[in-house]
Amino acid sequence: MARTGRPREFDESVAARELTRVFWEKGYHTTSIQDLVDATGVQRNSLYGVFGNKKALLLVALAQYRAQVTEVLERLQREAPVLPALRHFLTFPLDPSRALNGCLLGNTTVEVSGQDEDIHAAVRDNFAALERALRLALERAHRSGELPPRDAATQARMLMAVQQGLQVISRATDDPARSAAAVDAVLDSLR
């Protein structure tokens, strides 16, 4: 027998975007369920009924965040030459609209990743997808002769570390030229 009841009165994808924004702005521990209710316009029982508890809401936000950065990852895969796409990837966090909140993955790693295996796995999977996209882009640049052949996996890890460091530094400085100079130095090291 089909279960009856009131139909959902909200768009889950819109709610997921709002969950992401709130967790990104406030962090996991300082975000209250009321903050999420206020941001989404969805009542507490409906949020829990559709998405689950606060941890499940964070996991939804991490999945939504991954979808948001997919555009950057796709750009790495389709653009040739590769170096401009890598520059975009590295300077992406320097955009003032993004710098304020840093990286949701980095923030979550620092705040709660070591405290919960499910959250840690979600963060780890997101970082692995990013590293894989970087490695594939670098391998393409090596094959085309744009960059000399080197260990693409090690270079991808270096680019991830630099990008995450820029995410943190961009929150503390108002001098994007210094960060841009660091990006230039990193890209020069690939040549």
Side-chain angles (χ1 to χ4, degrees):
M1 173 181 245
R3 190 174 166 179
T4 60
R6 289 181 47 197
R8 289 188 189 142
E9 298 176 8
F10 66 93
D11 183 331
E12 288 181 34
S13 63
V14 171
R17 281 194 300 275
E18 288 303 308
L19 293 172
T20 303
R21 183 185 59 77
V22 173
F23 281 124
W24 198 353
E25 288 175 1
K26 296 188 78 161
Y28 179 71
H29 291 304
T30 57
T31 295
S32 69
I33 294 301
Q34 191 59 49
D35 292 331
L36 299 172
V37 167
D38 292 344
T40 61
V42 178
Q43 293 303 312
R44 184 180 310 247
N45 288 341
S46 295
L47 269 179
Y48 284 142
V50 172
F51 296 113
N53 60 18
K54 185 177 173 183
K55 173 181 143 180
L57 294 168
L58 176 62
L59 293 172
V60 167
L62 289 170
Q64 176 67 33
Y65 184 77
R66 183 172 180 168
Q68 289 175 3
V69 298
T70 296
E71 177 186 332
V72 176
L73 299 179
E74 287 174 351
R75 185 173 182 173
L76 284 171
Q77 297 312 306
R78 71 176 181 264
E79 281 196 14
V82 172
L83 280 174
L86 291 174
R87 175 176 298 288
H88 175 72
F89 167 75
L90 291 171
T91 58
F92 186 73
L94 304 181
D95 177 333
S97 69
R98 292 177 182 89
L100 180 62
N101 298 323
C103 171
L104 180 61
L105 293 178
N107 297 348
T108 303
T109 299
V110 171
E111 187 181 11
V112 291
S113 181
Q115 301 168 14
D116 183 279
E117 181 52 38
D118 295 331
I119 294 171
H120 179 74
V123 168
R124 183 183 58 235
D125 291 348
N126 276 289
F127 278 132
L130 185 53
E131 186 176 319
R132 184 174 42 258
L134 288 166
R135 180 182 49 79
L136 292 172
L138 288 162
E139 288 171 351
R140 198 172 78 249
H142 296 162
R143 283 191 306 272
S144 73
E146 181 182 357
L147 293 174
R150 297 213 180 117
D151 181 356
T154 299
Q155 288 180 324
R157 283 189 290 280
M158 176 188 69
L159 291 174
M160 289 245 325
V162 167
Q163 193 259 1
Q164 285 298 303
L166 286 170
Q167 292 273 11
V168 172
I169 291 168
S170 66
R171 293 174 75 174
T173 183
D174 57 358
D175 186 4
R178 289 182 69 191
S179 296
V183 168
D184 291 339
V186 168
L187 294 176
D188 285 346
S189 77
L190 299 175
R191 296 183 180 139

